[in-house]
Structure formats: structure tokens, C-alpha cells
């Protein structure tokens, strides 16, 4: 596991009234934004901050959680890099989490078209041809999606458009990327 520095909600601009899952998603979005665009997908374990401090004080200190001033109740911990040669859905099918992980999150960049463009998609394209068609479409948007799920079924997402790359322009909601949320939820099924 690779550590990620913990950013307090007030320092990152995350709303203090937001749910712990929303705060974690926005913290991951903020972290990813700091790395810039054109990044590989990143997978995160979500762990209970108090439990982490009690059971893994060394790791908690490494993540900057050794004091009790952190108000975050969920701590994202970045996992090893996702193999670039493995399709994301296949990779997620191999993920299994230990009991200490209460949730997980994924951040991934994709090209997106407005709903109005769906009627213009040429028929009979294979996956590669469709990806090329989308990449060349004049109305395409680059988007970074951060999706998180908890074992109890709670979900949250954050979307950031490259053309509106600002924390104040991040859209959040529990149903923004349902397919990816389902794939992440499946990593908790035994």
C-alpha cells in the first residue's frame, strides 16, 4: 500500500457539513487534481480513521493522522498502481479487501459526450472504433471521476471537467457514475 497525505476538510475546502464519504471523495478529488491531468486510474482503500490510529499507529503517523485534531472519519489510502495493460473491469474483478477496509474509491479520467451526441454515434462500431470516434468528436469533454462506495452500500461521486478545473466546479452526487459504483461495490462481495 502506498500512503497518501491526509488533508483536513477545512484545508481542502471540503464542506464541514458534508458526509464522511463525501468528504473522502472530495479529498481524493483534491489530491488527484494536485497531480494534474493525464494520470492513470488510482484505487484507494477507505479506512476508519479512529480504528487506524488505534490499530496501526505507525501508518497513522506516516499519513499525518497521529494527532487527534483530524476531523476526518474516513482516511483514503492509495493502493499499488493499477496495471496499465489490464482493463479496469478485469482488474476490479480481482480486488478483495480485508475486513479493516470499510470502503473503496477509484479515480479515473475519461472522455465524455453530451447526451445530444448519442444519436449521432455511427452504428456497428467496435469498442476501439467507438473510442476513436469519441476522441475525435468536437463536443467531447475530458472528465475525472472519483467514485467511492462503503460496505454498507453508501455511494458518492465527484466529477471534475478539465475545461472547468476548479474545486468550486466539482459536481458531487451518489448516482453520477452508477456503473463504476456497482463495479466497486462488487469488490466487497465474497
Amino acid at each position: 500500500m502506498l500512503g497518501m497525505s491526509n488533508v483536513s476538510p477545512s484545508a481542502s475546502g471540503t464542506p464541514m457539513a458534508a458526509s464522511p464519504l463525501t468528504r473522502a471523495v472530495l479529498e481524493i478529488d483534491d489530491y488527484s487534481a494536485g497531480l494534474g491531468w493525464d494520470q492513470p486510474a488510482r484505487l484507494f482503500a477507505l479506512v476508519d480513521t479512529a480504528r487506524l490510529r488505534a490499530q496501526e499507529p505507525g501508518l497513522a503517523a506516516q499519513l499525518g493522522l497521529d494527532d487527534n485534531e483530524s476531523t476526518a472519519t474516513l482516511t483514503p489510502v492509495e493502493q499499488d498502481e493499477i496495471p496499465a495493460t489490464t482493463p479496469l473491469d478485469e482488474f476490479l474483478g480481482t480486488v478483495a479487501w480485508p475486513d479493516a477496509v470499510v470502503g473503496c474509491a477509484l479515480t479515473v479520467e475519461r472522455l465524455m459526450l453530451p447526451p445530444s451526441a448519442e444519436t449521432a454515434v455511427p452504428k456497428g462500431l467496435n469498442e476501439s472504433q467507438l473510442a476513436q470516434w469519441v476522441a475525435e468528436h468536437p463536443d467531447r469533454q475530458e472528465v475525472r471521476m472519483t467514485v467511492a462506495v462503503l460496505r454498507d452500500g453508501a455511494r458518492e461521486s465527484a466529477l471534475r471537467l478539465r475545461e472547468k478545473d476548479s474545486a468550486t466546479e466539482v459536481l458531487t452526487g451518489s448516482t453520477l457514475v452508477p456503473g463504476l459504483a456497482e463495479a466497486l461495490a462488487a469488490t466487497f462481495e465474497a
Side-chain angles (χ1 to χ4, degrees):
M1 287 208 267
L2 302 175
M4 167 182 141
S5 63
N6 185 21
V7 180
S8 70
S10 58
S12 69
T14 304
M16 293 299 288
S19 76
L21 187 56
T22 301
R23 287 195 304 267
V25 164
L26 290 173
E27 180 180 332
I28 293 167
D29 173 76
D30 187 57
Y31 168 76
S32 297
L35 298 173
W37 286 87
D38 304 317
Q39 296 291 315
R42 295 176 189 282
L43 183 65
F44 298 84
L46 298 177
V47 296
D48 179 273
T49 304
R51 185 174 174 185
L52 179 64
R53 276 193 205 109
Q55 295 179 350
E56 298 286 342
L59 179 57
Q62 183 182 355
L63 295 173
L65 301 171
D66 52 346
D67 61 18
N68 287 324
E69 294 179 25
S70 173
T71 58
T73 56
L74 292 173
T75 297
V77 180
E78 187 173 358
Q79 303 301 290
D80 292 331
E81 190 171 308
I82 297 172
T85 58
T86 305
L88 191 56
D89 58 339
E90 287 179 23
F91 173 78
L92 290 176
T94 67
V95 173
W97 299 104
D99 291 340
V101 174
V102 298
C104 65
L106 181 79
T107 184
V108 63
E109 296 176 12
R110 291 290 186 256
L111 292 177
M112 185 174 78
L113 292 176
S116 60
E118 288 181 26
T119 59
V121 176
K123 303 287 186 234
L125 297 180
N126 65 32
E127 193 173 321
S128 176
Q129 292 167 325
L130 179 60
Q132 183 66 31
W133 184 83
V134 170
E136 294 172 355
H137 196 283
D139 294 331
R140 73 186 178 283
Q141 293 280 327
E142 290 181 76
V143 62
R144 182 181 301 116
M145 301 176 284
T146 303
V147 179
V149 299
L150 296 180
R151 283 185 189 271
D152 68 8
R155 298 171 180 199
E156 188 61 78
S157 305
L159 298 180
R160 181 186 291 249
L161 294 174
R162 189 171 191 158
E163 96 175 7
K164 295 182 179 183
D165 192 4
S166 164
T168 61
E169 296 288 338
V170 174
L171 178 65
T172 60
S174 62
T175 60
L176 295 176
V177 192
L180 189 50
E182 284 296 324
L184 288 174
T187 65
F188 290 105
E189 296 171 5

